[in-house]
Amino acid sequence: MPAETLVTMAGGIRDVALAFTVGGLLAIATLLPVGHRAVARAAAIARWASVAWAVAAVAYVFVSYAFIRNSPVDPERFVEEVWAFVTTIDVGVAYAQMALGAIVVSVLAALVRTPVAAAWSLLPVAWALGWQAQTGHAAGAADHHLAVSSLFLHISASALWLGVIGALLLMRGPLGGDAKPAVLRGSRIALWAAVGIIVSGAANAWLRLAHVSDLWSTTYGRLIVLKMLLMSLAVALAARHRRVALPRLSDEQVRERFWRVMMVDVGALVAVVLTAVVLSGTAPPVPIEAVEEPSPAYFLTGYELPPAPTFLNWLTLWRLEILSAFAVVTAGAVYVRWATRLRRRGDRWPWHRTAWFLLGIAVMVWITQGAPMVYGMVTFSGHMVEHMLLVMVAPLPLALGAPVTLALRALPARTDGSRGPREYLRGVIDSRVLRFLSNPIVAAVNFAGSLVVFYYSPLFEFALTNHVGHLWMLVHFTLAGYFFANALVGIDPGPNRPRYALRIVMIFATMAFHAFFGVSLMASEVLLAPRWFGLMGRDWGPDAITDQQYGGSLAWGIGELPVVLLAIGVIIAWRRADEKEARRKDRQAERDDDAELRAYNAMLARTAQRDRDR
Ligand code: HEM
């Protein structure tokens, strides 16, 4: 059998087995009540599918090497050659990491006994998917970051969708008449996954098709059309389920018909995945060619140098980073959905909190998709603007939006012993790690200190040269800023908030620290990340060290305004708390005829009497 066919077969088994592994683990983690008879079936699905995934992923390494080598192999040297392939060649390393991730999951899946353990076992799955996203056509594509991020989102969402409905189908026996809650939960996950697939599939297709006509004039395009048709069938069936079958799932007959239709649904998605594997082995209309003489900026960042920064360019330069865009926009949409849910059931949720949160989301969209991200890649000062907006500006309105409080109020509590989003959120909030990170002192140290640790350690270059590093930077500094702002002016659960006076002290302490950090950069003659900013080859703006010093003044400048706003926020909260306390005391005095004042006066009288006696 030709190596190419073996690659497609191993790839197909790998991707379908991966999906069922995810489905089995998710069923234990969140679809099923603890102790339900279907849990054993879900564990068996996760166990066997993960073994199939691991075997296919390992086989994929060997058959891919044979296919890439494309010449007869000396059997004695084959393993040695494959070892060189998986240790020195980027795509070989990626295949090996995928196989490693699959092997780790297959071991964990054999040990999983609780929903939380099943949830944790999904982490190495994300690791394997992260490496898979760096292979195929994404590896050499122009706009490499978008290609890799959109493929990661795409294959994660497809594993979720096929996994959830595939696992539900295989659990239909033990689920019996209890199917409805599990199916409802599964269909919500499938809905979000479908949104993720469409967004990332469109981005992927956009990168690989030169013109819309490629959809019908090229093999690659026709395969995408086939995928979209199969997907539309799956979506139509799912919509019909939700409308017709789901409300009446307790009826045995309806349930039988439901599972039969679900078989078609799963069949359609398995067909899509197999089509996708063929697609990833088919040459796309936009050829993947190495750039002949890349400019220094293109060589380092994968993008040409942006135009010199002007006021207009700061507003009009955009570049899609699909993962952060999907996360930020989804956060905004979910927030509005929850606030609407509260209002619909007659609970109050202050409009200004929604306004604050959406303002924070808008700032995050600009930071992660706009000029701060674009200039942050090529100049130190641009990076400092991106960083300061991320840690100082966006978190303040986000914290004032009180998203965690809203989530705990809007998310329904599970009553059947299963763990849903609310239970996991509660678990995270009450965890020792979160209690430590949200402690006001720790939040202040993290807020100010991680700035210095980040810029004066290899982390800075890691975040510049590696997309995962960049995404980690986005998450870390947004959370650092959120914990600090929440400790000072937020209402979200977590920290024991210090007295207002101490909060003011903390604010000015971090302010001084930022000023010190800014001044040290302004005075420094040592270039940070020299192999990046020193080699960028910019034909505009000051030289790298002057730009870094300018970055120092920005760190100082941009940092001060949000800190002043924080201080104003604390003072307003302080005054409000005092007024509230005064009102409470007044009400108390009215209720108990001013017992406190009378007790105080009595104490004074006793003291005076004692003095007189003495
Ligand atoms: C709107 C519909 C969709 C579009 C436009 C789309 C487009 C794409 C594109 C362009 C790729 C990259 C192929 C390459 O490497 O060149 C891809 C890969 C992939 N797609 Fe889709 N897709 C869609 C729906 C789906 C669905 C519904 C699933 C499964 C549930 C799916 C599963 C996959 C998988 C698993 C891969 C990676 C294949 C591999 O590298 O092994 N896609 N898709």
Side-chain angles (χ1 to χ4, degrees):
M1 191 180 288
E4 190 175 1
T5 315
L6 288 173
V7 169
T8 309
M9 280 172 61
I13 297 168
R14 178 201 62 198
D15 289 353
V16 172
L18 154 69
F20 278 83
T21 306
V22 169
L25 291 172
L26 266 179
I28 301 169
T30 190
L31 300 187
L32 302 170
V34 174
H36 190 282
R37 60 184 175 277
V39 171
R41 175 67 60 86
I45 295 168
R47 216 171 27 251
W48 291 112
S50 59
V51 169
W53 176 29
V55 171
V58 171
Y60 194 83
V61 175
F62 288 92
V63 290
S64 301
Y65 175 68
F67 175 61
I68 293 167
R69 196 177 191 289
N70 197 15
S71 59
V73 186
D74 169 1
E76 278 174 22
R77 298 200 57 242
F78 186 61
V79 174
E80 186 195 326
E81 284 187 17
V82 171
W83 178 250
F85 173 58
V86 296
T87 49
T88 58
I89 312 292
D90 285 356
V91 74
V93 171
Y95 291 158
Q97 291 290 346
M98 287 156 62
L100 193 65
I103 293 167
V104 169
V105 174
S106 66
V107 173
L108 292 175
L111 305 169
V112 158
R113 292 285 174 275
T114 65
V116 175
W120 278 114
S121 308
L122 290 167
L123 270 188
V125 176
W127 168 270
L129 287 170
W131 283 99
Q132 182 173 345
Q134 297 180 49
T135 63
H137 296 135
D143 205 334
H144 180 67
H145 291 321
L146 178 59
V148 171
S149 299
S150 56
L151 192 58
F152 175 73
L153 180 59
H154 198 68
I155 51 183
S156 309
S158 74
L160 272 177
W161 188 4
L162 173 56
V164 160
I165 63 169
L168 284 168
L169 185 66
L170 293 179
M171 294 189 299
R172 67 188 181 285
L175 274 173
D178 308 343
K180 190 169 177 181
V183 171
L184 265 175
R185 290 163 192 158
S187 78
R188 261 189 231 110
I189 295 174
L191 190 64
W192 279 107
V195 174
I197 282 179
I198 293 169
V199 170
S200 56
N204 258 307
W206 178 68
L207 281 173
R208 313 249 155 73
L209 302 175
H211 188 271
V212 68
S213 62
D214 286 343
L215 277 173
W216 52 86
S217 62
T218 66
T219 313
Y220 190 90
R222 287 192 289 273
L223 285 169
I224 290 183
V225 172
L226 175 61
K227 286 185 72 179
M228 291 204 279
L229 290 175
L230 287 165
M231 179 176 173
S232 317
L233 170 67
V235 169
L237 290 174
R240 187 179 171 285
H241 278 336
R242 284 177 79 87
R243 213 181 44 255
V244 180
L246 264 180
R248 298 164 43 220
L249 215 52
S250 45
D251 174 326
E252 184 141 2
Q253 275 193 332
V254 172
R255 205 166 53 246
E256 273 321 302
R257 219 177 17 254
F258 169 81
W259 289 126
R260 275 200 300 278
V261 174
M262 184 71 118
M263 274 183 211
V264 179
D265 214 344
V266 172
L269 287 186
V270 168
V272 177
V273 171
L274 298 180
T275 312
V277 175
V278 176
L279 187 70
S280 66
T282 308
V286 176
I288 295 175
E289 287 156 342
V291 177
E292 287 294 318
E293 287 170 24
S295 66
Y298 189 93
F299 181 79
L300 288 169
T301 66
Y303 301 95
E304 286 306 341
L305 206 61
T310 60
F311 178 73
L312 203 58
N313 284 342
W314 274 102
L315 295 179
T316 54
L317 271 183
W318 294 86
R319 183 186 296 154
L320 179 62
E321 198 299 306
I322 199 165
L323 284 176
S324 52
F326 190 74
V328 170
V329 172
T330 304
V334 169
Y335 187 100
V336 172
R337 192 179 143 88
W338 286 343
T340 316
R341 184 184 294 172
L342 252 62
R343 278 174 188 258
R344 281 225 182 98
R345 71 177 192 218
D347 289 347
R348 250 191 97 250
W349 183 253
W351 66 266
H352 61 82
R353 293 212 179 275
T354 308
W356 276 123
F357 191 78
L358 294 181
L359 173 66
I361 290 290
V363 177
M364 284 299 287
V365 168
W366 183 52
I367 297 170
T368 57
Q369 315 297 317
M373 182 265 277
V374 175
Y375 285 123
M377 268 186 164
V378 294
T379 62
F380 185 90
S381 55
H383 196 280
M384 192 51 79
V385 171
E386 179 187 16
H387 193 110
M388 281 300 150
L389 291 172
L390 203 59
V391 74
M392 314 250 353
V393 178
L396 182 54
L398 291 176
L400 290 172
V404 178
T405 309
L406 176 64
L408 289 173
R409 291 184 55 192
L411 287 169
R414 296 271 180 96
T415 52
D416 64 354
S418 63
R419 286 180 76 94
R422 192 177 195 288
E423 286 72 25
Y424 278 106
L425 180 61
R426 196 72 256 175
V428 169
I429 294 169
D430 299 339
S431 69
R432 256 188 248 119
V433 175
L434 243 289
R435 278 216 304 276
F436 174 72
L437 288 175
S438 61
N439 171 296
I441 306 296
V442 174
V445 172
N446 186 14
F447 177 74
S450 50
L451 194 69
V452 176
V453 173
F454 176 74
Y455 279 106
Y456 288 99
S457 76
L459 287 173
F460 183 30
E461 215 153 316
F462 172 61
L464 288 169
T465 54
N466 184 303
H467 197 56
V468 177
H470 173 75
L471 295 173
W472 162 79
M473 179 196 85
L474 292 181
V475 174
H476 173 83
F477 286 104
T478 309
L479 287 179
Y482 164 80
F483 286 135
F484 187 60
N486 187 43
L488 296 174
V489 292
I491 63 162
D492 274 344
N496 301 328
R497 291 182 173 82
R499 294 175 177 284
Y500 289 100
L502 180 58
R503 295 184 207 187
I504 297 289
V505 173
M506 282 166 64
I507 289 176
F508 287 105
T510 50
M511 205 171 178
F513 194 90
H514 270 143
F516 169 73
F517 171 72
V519 170
S520 71
L521 274 175
M522 288 161 72
S524 167
E525 292 292 336
V526 179
L527 187 61
L528 299 175
R531 287 186 301 260
W532 188 266
F533 295 119
L535 302 177
M536 194 56 73
R538 272 185 297 108
D539 53 7
W540 45 259
D543 62 79
I545 195 68
T546 312
D547 176 69
Q548 180 176 298
Q549 291 160 350
Y550 173 50
S553 61
L554 285 172
W556 188 4
I558 297 178
E560 300 320 347
L561 182 62
V563 168
V564 170
L565 288 177
L566 260 177
I568 293 170
V570 169
I571 291 163
I572 292 171
W574 193 348
R575 224 194 52 228
R576 279 212 190 119
D578 278 357
E579 282 165 6
K580 205 168 156 198
E581 181 60 12
R583 278 198 302 277
R584 188 192 65 75
K585 286 209 164 142
D586 291 350
R587 279 196 304 277
Q588 176 79 24
E590 269 160 33
R591 267 199 309 277
D592 61 10
D593 190 23
D594 230 340
E596 193 183 340
L597 185 64
R598 279 188 289 110
Y600 180 71
N601 290 341
M603 182 275 288
L604 286 178
R606 276 195 305 280
T607 316
Q609 183 56 42
R610 235 193 345 267
D611 293 347
R612 268 198 301 275
D613 293 349
R614 218 179 276 129

